[in-house]
Amino acid sequence: MKKSLMASLFVFCCLLLIVQTATAAMNVRIAVNQLNVRTGPGFAFAVQEKVAKGKQYAVAQKRGEWLQIRLASNRTGWVYSKYVQVQNEPNETKKQIQQSVVCQVDGLRLRKGPGTTYAVIGYVNRNEKGTATMIQGDWMYVRWDGKEGWVHRSYIANAEQSEKNRYVQTLYDNTNIRSAPSIQSSVIAKAKRGDQFAVIRKEGQWYVIQVDAQTVGYVAEWVVQVGKQSSPPRPQTVGGKTIVIDAGHGGKDHGTTGVNGTMEKMLTLQTALLLSEKLKQVGANVILTRADDRFLSLSERVNIAGGNKADAFISIHYDSALNRTASGLTVYYYKEIDRSLADALVEPLSQLTGIQQRGVRVGNYHVLRENSRPSVLLELGYLSNPNEEAFVVSQTYQQSVTEAICNGLLRYLGK
């Protein structure tokens, strides 16, 4: 009996030692300034503290793209893995491969090494094809046309399989199917929300689809979702809910000006108008605080939300900093009752690629603090960063970021 007990204790101690060794074998270094440490593995969890760039921590466990790190005083917290550099992860050896791949996103960053702390040496656009020659963990070394470097494998796909068995599903009623990849081309058919079409290929921001046995057409990527046949459509109605969209600045108030001359007041208006059109297509009653280049006081903007009993107030802005490397997208709220709106928006916004995610933060802004209606303020990128300025003014980003905001509002208000 004693021998059996001793044997069990020995096995338990060995297992405990193995677990401790495996945990200790993985350490990370914080790669960004003031990284949020959250209470759980997701952007919806509360921020419990911030940690400084360059600090190193042991990893307790990994869940998806989130890492639980060991903090001081025997505490733990969760960080997003893309904002840290793994120092010594078991089995993270480089392997030689030979695989044809295709980029799945716009503005994919090409890095000097396998991690987010390595310098960005170029960008890859959606549908560019290359050859992966090496893999290390979640990173692949890819040779593209005229450039090569490391990319995160979640943003690329096997080129030979990427177009097989793919379908697009329309997100709106009366979706236009056109004769060519342009909004100026003629409409050859109309689709209902939820209709599915086989994908033949991708041309820029348009899918070439099989409309019927005899007809091939084009549909814009921002009015469809991609997946396998018979995947369920997302919720598509907000049931007449009132949404106030506030294009920041205007008139004599220019806001910030980008290093390449982009005026914030004009870009916020462009984003607000595009978002308005998408929300109208899902049944929202949309009110713009301004639909042209005019000045409104902060109080006037708040009064529009209160006077119309808005179900949500979204203030659109673009950021600026003295440090030209500052980058990222931030969702701000002020009152605790607005946190659910902020969380609903950050979920789809965090899926955007080509731009850093700064998460949900408290912001003491007049349009939030004095607002009686559910409200958030969105900083959608830094105009003071020349690379980010060029990215956020692109049609691709404007379409994808407004689609993400629309999806977040559907999540918050949808039926």
Side-chain angles (χ1 to χ4, degrees), residues 319-339:
D319 227 329
S320 179
L322 293 176
N323 180 359
R324 288 194 174 185
T325 65
S327 65
L329 180 157
T330 316
V331 179
Y332 287 100
Y333 74 101
Y334 183 73
K335 302 182 294 295
E336 193 58 38
I337 59 172
D338 301 330
R339 180 61 191 263

Side-chain angles (χ1 to χ4, degrees), residues 245-258 260-275 288 290-295 301 316-319 380 383 389 392-394 398 402:
I245 304 173
D246 175 38
H249 309 285
K252 64 181 181 181
D253 178 7
H254 290 196
T256 190
T257 300
N260 296 315
T262 303
M263 286 194 293
E264 184 184 4
K265 68 171 185 175
M266 300 309 296
L267 188 57
T268 60
L269 179 59
Q270 175 186 326
T271 307
L273 291 171
L274 184 57
L275 176 60
L288 293 162
R290 65 181 184 95
D292 52 26
D293 184 20
R294 69 177 65 188
F295 174 79
R301 297 167 192 265
I316 305 293
H317 289 261
Y318 289 86
D319 227 329
L380 299 179
L383 298 182
E389 178 187 8
V392 299
V393 300
S394 68
Q398 290 293 306
T402 50

